[in-house]
Amino acid sequence: MPRTRRPRTFIAPLAAALLLSGTASCTEATSSTSAPVAISVDAAANRRPISPLIYGVNFGTTATLRDLRVPINRSGGNSASAYNWRLDARNAGKDWYFESIAVNPADINDQFGDRFVTLTQAAGATPILTIPMLGRVAKVGPQRQTLASFSIAKYGPQPNFDVDGTRDAGNGVAMGGASITGNDPNDASVPDDPQNEQARVVALVTQFGGANAGGVRYYAMDNEPSLWQLIHRDVHPTGAHAREIADKTIAYSRAVKTADPQAKVIAPEEWGWAGYFHSGFDQQNAVAHGYDHAPDRENETQGMDYVPWLLSQWKAAGHPVDVFSLHFYPQGGEYAESGAADTPDIALKRNRSTRDLWDPHYTDPTWINSVVALIPLMRRWADTYYYPGTPIALTEYNWGGETLMNGATAQADLLGIFGREGLDIATRWGTIDPSMPVYKAIKLYRNYDGNGGAFGTTSVAANVPDPDTVAAFAALRDSDHALTLVVINKQLDRSAETAVSIANFAAHGVAQTWQLANNQLARAQDVHYTNGVLRATLPPQSVTLFVLRGPAS
C-alpha cells in the first residue's frame, strides 16, 4: 500500500467533521421469463461535450497512462502537503508516523518533482502538481536519513511506532492515549512560503517550458487543508481557519502565476462533505462542542458555508483560482484502505451510492444524511459564488472494490456519470495495474481494442428504469460518427435481458461489441439491431460497450 494513502471512511458525523460470476459472452436475446430492461437512447437529445480530462488518475505510471490513454495525471495526497522540492523529501504526517523521508526516485508511486512531470509527459498526458500551503515542509538528516516529528527518544514511549523502518518514529500518542503536544516542529520540518514555491515553479518552467509551451499546466493548492490538524498535527496542530485558507490560496496562486502567468490553479481540494461546509478550525472545535456555535462560521464566514465563502473571497480578490476542485469518497464502507471485507451488502451500497454524484432525489443514508448531488452542487456553487462556467473537478475519488467486478461496474458507472453530468476534470485516487477489474473498466472507455478505440465525445440521452441495477450511457464519437453505448449490469448474480430503443440514428445495422465480465475484457459477438431496437443478454456484474456505425437519420 503506498504510503501516500489514508483512510477515507468516517462512520459518524462528528468524527467525519474531523477527519460472482457470469458468462463473458454477449448474445442477442431470444426469450426471457421476465420483461427486458427497457433502455432508450436518443442521439439528438441532451447533447453535451464530454471533457477528456474526466479519465484521469493519481500517480499513474507511464505504462498505465499509455495503455489507458489517460489524459491527466495528478501528484497529490497527504505527502504533497509537506513536499520539499529543494530536498526531494516528503512527510505523509499521520499516514506514516510523521516521518520526513527522502523520496526514492525508484518508487513509481511517489513522484512529486520533475520526475513526475517527465514520466507523465512521456505518455502524452498532462501533470497536476500540488503546491504546499501548510507553511512547513519536510527536512532530512545530513546523509538524507529519515527524521521523526515524534521521536521516541525525545518525547517518550508511544504505543505505535515504525517497526519496519525508523523505529524511533512514534505515532505522536503518549502511552496513556493522549496526543503528544508541544513538539518542536523543527525536529523534522523547515519553514516554507510562497516565495519558495514560486522558485519551484520557475525551476519547472526553466526545465519544461511554460504552461502554454509544453510545461506544467495545472497546480493544485495543497491537499485537504481542513484536515491539517489531523494529518499534519506535528506542524499544524490547530485546525486552519477559513481566513487562513482563503488568504493562503490567493498568495500561493499569485506566486505560481508570477512564475508562469498561463498556469492554471486548482482549489480548494477539500476532502469531503464536512469539509465542504466547515473550516478545519470548526471541524476540530466540533469534536468537543458540536456545530451549534461554530466559531469560524460566526466570526469569519458570516454564516456562510465554508467552500462557498472561499469562492466568494477569491472572486473578490480577482481570479486566483481557475478550476474549482473537491474530493469525494462514499461513506458507507464502499471504499476502505484498511482492507475491510467486501460483503454483498457493501456491493449493493456501491451500486447505489454513485447517485451521490448526480441524483437530487437520493438522500445519502450514511452519517451525511443529506442529498449530495455533488456535480450539480459544484456547478451551482461555482456559478453563484465565483465565475459562471468555471471548470469543476473531482481530483480524488474512489468507490473501492478494485479487485472485484463490483468495483469495475462502479468505476464504469462513475465515468459515465462524469461525462453525462458535465464534470470537467476527474482523477481517480489509488494506484492500479492491468490485473484489476477497475483498470479494465477504464480501458473499456479509453482503449478497448488496444488501438485507441474509445467511448464517444458528445454525451447523448440514455435512460434506464433503475440505474442501481442496470445503468447506461451513450455518446457520439466525432472521429467516425459512431454511436457508442455502455450498458452496465450491476446485478450480482442475475443476467439482464435488455431492449435498447434507438432514436435519431440508423435504425438498422450491426453493433460491434466489447465486454468486461469475469475480469476479462474481450471482443464479443456482434449484435444485429433492426427497427431501432437492439436486444442483448448481459452477464451479471458486466460492462458492455456497443459501437453502432451508420449515418444519423
Side-chain angles (χ1 to χ4, degrees):
M1 179 181 296
R3 294 179 179 178
T4 53
R5 290 190 174 191
R6 62 277 200 202
R8 292 293 178 177
T9 300
F10 299 82
I11 58 176
L14 202 54
L18 290 172
L19 316 170
L20 312 141
S21 62
T23 168
S25 66
C26 175
T27 60
E28 295 175 50
T30 54
S31 63
S32 175
T33 57
S34 59
V37 176
I39 302 170
S40 61
V41 174
D42 188 338
N46 300 343
R47 289 196 176 193
R48 162 180 268 161
I50 297 175
S51 168
L53 300 183
I54 63 172
Y55 302 107
V57 298
N58 282 256
F59 300 109
T61 65
T62 301
T64 293
L65 301 177
R66 283 175 175 163
D67 187 39
L68 298 182
R69 296 178 60 246
V70 171
I72 193 163
N73 190 25
R74 174 176 177 263
S75 172
N78 288 336
S79 284
S81 293
Y83 176 68
N84 186 329
W85 70 277
R86 294 187 184 274
L87 298 179
D88 197 20
R90 62 181 181 84
N91 188 311
K94 184 181 179 182
D95 287 352
W96 200 258
Y97 302 101
F98 303 94
E99 294 179 19
S100 287
I101 302 170
V103 172
N104 177 5
D107 188 344
I108 63 173
N109 295 325
D110 275 329
Q111 291 96 347
F112 295 96
D114 56 358
R115 291 183 307 279
F116 185 81
V117 178
T118 298
L119 73 87
T120 300
Q121 293 184 339
T126 297
I128 298 175
L129 290 184
T130 297
I131 297 293
M133 300 195 306
L134 185 60
R136 300 192 70 92
V137 292
K139 77 173 183 179
V140 290
Q143 306 303 317
R144 295 185 63 74
Q145 65 265 38
T146 297
L147 298 179
S149 289
F150 294 105
S151 162
I152 292 174
K154 184 172 183 177
Y155 298 107
Q158 295 163 53
N160 290 301
F161 58 93
D162 186 0
V163 297
D164 298 318
T166 303
R167 298 179 68 86
D168 185 49
N171 67 341
V173 177
M175 295 306 291
S179 296
I180 295 172
T181 59
N183 64 292
D184 185 352
N186 295 306
D187 288 345
S189 72
V190 294
D192 186 38
D193 56 31
Q195 291 71 36
N196 184 50
E197 296 304 324
Q198 180 176 320
R200 177 188 181 189
V201 179
V202 168
L204 290 166
V205 170
T206 300
Q207 183 174 356
F208 298 102
N212 284 4
V216 178
R217 181 179 299 263
Y218 295 103
Y219 294 91
M221 296 292 99
D222 211 281
N223 181 76
E224 303 178 346
S226 75
L227 292 183
W228 282 348
Q229 73 281 1
L230 285 180
I231 304 300
H232 299 287
R233 62 182 176 82
D234 55 330
V235 297
H236 204 296
T238 301
H241 289 284
R243 175 54 61 189
E244 177 184 356
I245 301 307
D247 291 349
K248 279 189 168 181
T249 300
I250 295 167
Y252 281 86
S253 172
R254 287 173 177 164
V256 167
K257 295 190 176 194
T258 297
D260 187 351
Q262 305 306 318
K264 303 297 184 184
V265 166
I266 302 174
E269 295 285 283
E270 274 300 351
W271 70 271
W273 193 246
Y276 305 162
F277 298 96
H278 305 284
S279 69
F281 188 83
D282 281 354
Q283 290 179 55
Q284 187 177 40
N285 180 77
V287 173
H289 306 292
Y291 286 114
D292 288 343
H293 297 285
D296 273 4
R297 180 180 288 272
E298 293 178 354
N299 302 319
E300 292 194 358
T301 72
Q302 293 77 50
M304 285 184 66
D305 293 328
Y306 169 59
V307 165
W309 180 84
L310 289 177
L311 291 169
S312 71
Q313 298 303 298
W314 295 336
K315 184 175 183 179
H319 203 146
V321 172
D322 301 287
V323 179
F324 169 38
S325 65
L326 296 173
H327 300 171
F328 189 82
Y329 294 80
Q331 297 295 299
E334 299 93 330
Y335 175 71
E337 291 177 341
S338 59
D342 261 295
T343 64
D345 178 61
I346 291 293
L348 294 176
K349 288 180 179 179
R350 189 174 286 123
N351 289 348
R352 292 190 299 268
S353 60
T354 58
R355 287 179 180 264
D356 271 332
L357 295 175
W358 64 273
D359 190 348
H361 305 293
Y362 176 74
T363 299
D364 186 295
T366 70
W367 61 266
I368 291 176
N369 192 32
S370 178
V371 171
V372 177
L374 184 58
I375 297 174
L377 176 66
M378 292 180 69
R379 173 49 55 210
R380 185 166 65 252
W381 279 353
D383 291 351
T384 302
Y385 300 103
Y386 201 51
Y387 294 96
T390 296
I392 56 175
L394 284 178
T395 49
E396 285 190 24
Y397 74 91
N398 190 308
W399 252 253
E402 293 178 334
T403 62
L404 305 173
M405 279 304 302
N406 180 244
T409 58
Q411 181 64 51
D413 197 24
L414 294 167
L415 296 179
I417 290 167
F418 294 162
R420 184 190 68 199
E421 299 298 316
L423 190 66
D424 294 291
I425 300 174
T427 52
R428 182 189 184 278
W429 178 259
T431 56
I432 52 177
D433 65 65
S435 70
M436 295 178 177
V438 294
Y439 182 104
K440 297 180 178 74
I442 299 172
K443 188 165 184 174
L444 190 72
Y445 274 89
R446 295 295 294 163
N447 192 19
Y448 57 81
D449 58 0
N451 292 309
F455 189 62
T457 50
T458 300
S459 178
V460 298
N463 298 308
V464 296
D466 178 12
D468 297 347
T469 56
V470 177
F473 304 93
L476 295 168
R477 198 160 61 189
D478 290 343
S479 60
D480 60 359
H481 308 293
L483 174 65
T484 59
L485 172 65
V486 166
V487 183
I488 306 161
N489 183 11
K490 301 181 182 181
Q491 298 176 101
L492 304 185
D493 54 8
R494 179 176 295 182
S495 296
E497 302 286 347
T498 61
V500 183
S501 62
I502 303 164
N504 292 302
F505 199 77
H508 309 276
V510 177
Q512 187 184 95
T513 308
W514 293 79
Q515 189 171 83
L516 171 59
N518 286 332
N519 198 21
Q520 298 295 320
L521 173 58
R523 176 79 181 266
Q525 180 181 340
D526 290 349
V527 176
H528 293 266
Y529 64 98
T530 59
N531 299 320
V533 177
L534 183 155
R535 299 180 184 275
T537 302
L538 308 180
Q541 301 190 68
S542 65
V543 186
T544 305
L545 171 67
F546 299 102
V547 181
L548 290 70
R549 290 185 172 86
S553 60

